[in-house]
């Protein structure tokens, strides 16, 4: 580097040091404000609707050159650590360490909460119902694989509300200590991940046995112990088990996305851009399903999801999981829900929550 370049670099770094000191002072002021809010507030300290508003506001005011996603992720962390000053959060998720559910929990709550891995989706519901964790994160649908049936069934029988959603772009990677595919004798993964990589496996791993295990993280753990094995899992699992990624992004669908819901004892207040999730059942007669959903059309409320599942109670043949745009307190949504309650054999409002901001 020339003397001139060294000089220029020193000047810019001085600016960076000065700005960092200013940011730090501002962060301290912001954290003290959050502490004051915590003293004033009644009820739960975590406010999903307020966090969504802050994140949307940040994207609107972003002057660049950092992307909206970049600044939102930074502010996600700032709020996470400010909230931790008010109250440290416990969040249960479908473990073990390294799963996509863990990534979803971090994406939604930031780095501050105590993330508690659970063995099954049932355990996540139980942890929240028993109050062992204030919040839980459960997978609900994947763009390639469809609905996660167990989660839907537990919403029907369980006693929790939905207070948030997280959308996670799911990238699958083949990770192994083997030097190349010719040395790989078996491939472990969760059955859903194996089927998300069907085409890639047919072309690059033809004839290698695929072994389905309880989670991608478990697959990575097994591959870390066996030089002839590979796992298909996310980057987080590769990092956790120090497994080299031999082939990255091997999912067949370039837009492979999993949606998670955040569960707790309460739902969220209106944020201005919300969704409401319900589960309902129609009376057993012709045209009943059409009639059931008519109130949404009448009130101009858009449906963003409709999923039917065989009822497990024996009382009704099918139950329907429906997401609509808007909060249950919005007048049009409230009227539609009241009309639906009149004609449904069964209705449970799972909760209203902000549309995922990041
Ligand atoms: O506004 C509040 O209620 C706060 O507690 C502050 C704050 C924030 O840092 O902006 C922190 C936690 C809440 O979940 C929402 C927002």
């Amino acid at each position: 580097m020339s003397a001139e370049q060294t000089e220029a670099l020193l000047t810019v770094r001085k600016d960076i040091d000065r700005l960092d000191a200013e940011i730090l002072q501002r962060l301290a002021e912001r954290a003290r404000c959050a502490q004051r809010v915590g003293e004033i507030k009644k009820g739960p300290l975590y406010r999903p609707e307020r966090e969504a508003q802050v994140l949307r506001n940040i994207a609107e005011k972003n002057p660049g050159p950092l992307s909206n996603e970049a600044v939102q992720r930074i502010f996600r962390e700032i709020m996470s650590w400010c909230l931790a000053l008010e109250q440290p959060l416990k969040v249960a998720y479908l473990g073990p360490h390294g799963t996509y559910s863990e990534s979803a929990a971090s994406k939604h709550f930031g780095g501050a909460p105590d993330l508690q891995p659970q063995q099954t989706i049932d355990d996540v519901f139980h942890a929240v119902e028993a109050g062992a964790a204030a919040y839980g994160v459960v997978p609900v649908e994947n763009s390639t694989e469809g609905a996660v049936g167990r989660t839907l069934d537990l919403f029907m029988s369980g006693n929790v509300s939905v207070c948030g959603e997280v959308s996670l772009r799911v990238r699958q990677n083949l990770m192994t200590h083997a030097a190349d595919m010719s040395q790989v004798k078996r491939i472990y993964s969760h059955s859903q991940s194996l089927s998300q990589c069907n085409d890639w496996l047919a072309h690059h791993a033809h004839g290698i046995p695929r072994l389905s295990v309880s989670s991608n993280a478990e697959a990575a753990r097994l591959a870390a112990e066996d030089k002839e094995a590979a796992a298909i899992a996310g980057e987080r699992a590769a990092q956790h088990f120090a497994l080299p990624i031999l082939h990255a992004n091997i999912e067949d669908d370039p837009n492979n996305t999993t949606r998670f819901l955040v569960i707790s004892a309460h739902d969220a207040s209106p944020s201005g851009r919300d969704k409401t999730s319900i589960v309902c059942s129609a009376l057993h007669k012709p045209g009943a399903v059409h009639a059931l959903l008519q109130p949404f059309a009448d009130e101009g409320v858009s449906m963003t999801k409709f999923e039917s599942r065989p009822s497990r109670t024996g009382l009704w043949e099918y139950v329907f999981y429906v997401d609509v745009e808007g909060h249950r307190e919005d007048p049009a949504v409230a009227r539609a829900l009241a009309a639906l309650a009149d004609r449904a054999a069964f209705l449970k409002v799972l909760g209203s929550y902000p549309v995922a901001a990041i």
Side-chain angles (χ1 to χ4, degrees):
M1 234 183 348
S2 70
E4 246 172 56
Q5 282 170 322
T6 311
E7 187 61 33
L9 191 63
L10 275 177
T11 311
V12 183
R13 285 192 174 155
K14 252 190 214 149
D15 281 344
I16 289 181
D17 286 343
R18 179 181 47 79
L19 289 166
D20 283 350
E22 279 177 27
I23 292 169
L24 201 57
Q25 285 307 318
R26 296 292 192 185
L27 278 178
E29 278 175 41
R30 192 191 190 286
R32 281 193 291 271
C33 285
Q35 281 177 316
R36 278 210 301 283
V37 178
E39 287 156 15
I40 301 166
K41 258 190 298 195
K42 298 263 183 299
L45 295 169
Y46 167 61
R47 295 294 167 89
E49 66 284 355
R50 173 65 184 156
E51 296 204 352
Q53 285 165 343
V54 170
L55 293 175
R56 286 173 201 152
N57 208 5
I58 292 300
E60 256 167 45
K61 297 212 170 96
N62 179 20
L66 290 170
S67 68
N68 282 354
E69 190 189 338
V71 289
Q72 284 181 317
R73 281 181 184 263
I74 292 167
F75 276 83
R76 163 67 286 144
E77 283 306 318
I78 292 174
M79 282 192 288
S80 177
W81 293 98
C82 283
L83 175 62
L85 288 175
E86 299 177 39
Q87 175 194 46
L89 288 190
K90 283 189 184 157
V91 180
Y93 70 94
L94 180 60
H97 288 297
T99 56
Y100 284 113
S101 292
E102 187 181 57
S103 301
S106 292
K107 184 178 179 190
H108 190 78
F109 287 100
D114 172 12
L115 298 186
Q116 304 188 329
Q118 308 293 315
Q119 278 189 353
T120 62
I121 296 176
D122 296 52
D123 292 341
V124 179
F125 274 77
H126 290 155
V128 173
E129 282 166 346
Y135 301 92
V137 175
V138 289
V140 67
E141 60 191 315
N142 173 265
S143 55
T144 316
E145 288 299 296
V148 181
R150 189 65 196 149
T151 299
L152 296 185
D153 291 343
L154 288 164
F155 272 122
M156 177 78 183
S157 59
N159 189 21
V160 298
S161 295
V162 180
C163 69
E165 66 168 359
V166 196
S167 197
L168 197 72
R169 174 68 180 78
V170 171
R171 293 192 165 84
Q172 306 286 8
N173 307 283
L174 186 121
M175 51 196 71
T176 176
H177 284 302
D180 57 52
M181 286 308 285
S182 68
Q183 295 176 14
V184 175
K185 302 285 180 272
R186 53 204 146 263
I187 300 175
Y188 294 108
S189 195
H190 188 271
S191 58
Q192 284 222 348
S193 301
L194 286 170
S195 46
Q196 286 168 22
C197 304
N198 251 331
D199 287 351
W200 189 90
L201 286 166
H203 285 102
H204 300 91
H206 187 69
I208 304 176
R210 304 170 198 175
L211 304 166
S212 155
V213 293
S214 61
S215 71
N216 291 345
E218 173 62 7
R221 192 188 66 76
L222 291 166
E225 289 174 351
D226 176 355
K227 289 206 156 27
E228 294 193 328
I232 293 176
E235 240 184 295
R236 212 176 170 102
Q239 281 162 7
H240 191 76
F241 293 100
L243 263 175
I245 292 180
L246 192 59
H247 295 282
N249 303 343
I250 62 168
E251 67 280 1
D252 300 333
D253 172 7
N255 295 315
N256 190 21
T257 303
T258 298
R259 181 169 173 252
F260 298 80
L261 291 177
V262 183
I263 56 173
S264 74
H266 54 85
D267 66 351
S269 300
S271 76
R273 258 196 82 201
D274 302 287
K275 274 187 193 172
T276 298
S277 292
I278 63 166
V279 45
C280 57
S281 179
L283 295 168
H284 204 22
K285 59 180 190 193
V289 177
H290 177 79
L292 187 71
L293 301 173
Q294 190 62 39
F296 291 128
D298 293 345
E299 294 293 344
V301 173
S302 302
M303 260 195 311
T304 57
K305 174 183 148 161
F306 178 83
E307 187 82 45
S308 68
R309 296 262 310 151
S311 161
R312 291 154 58 87
T313 63
L315 286 176
W316 311 288
E317 265 188 279
Y318 283 96
V319 287
F320 307 105
Y321 292 84
V322 182
D323 287 354
V324 296
E325 280 177 5
H327 194 279
R328 62 183 165 76
E329 291 174 12
D330 295 348
V333 179
R335 283 194 300 270
L337 289 176
L340 194 149
D342 281 346
R343 42 183 98 179
F346 167 86
L347 169 67
K348 184 173 177 182
V349 179
L350 297 173
S352 296
Y353 49 92
V355 171
I358 312 182

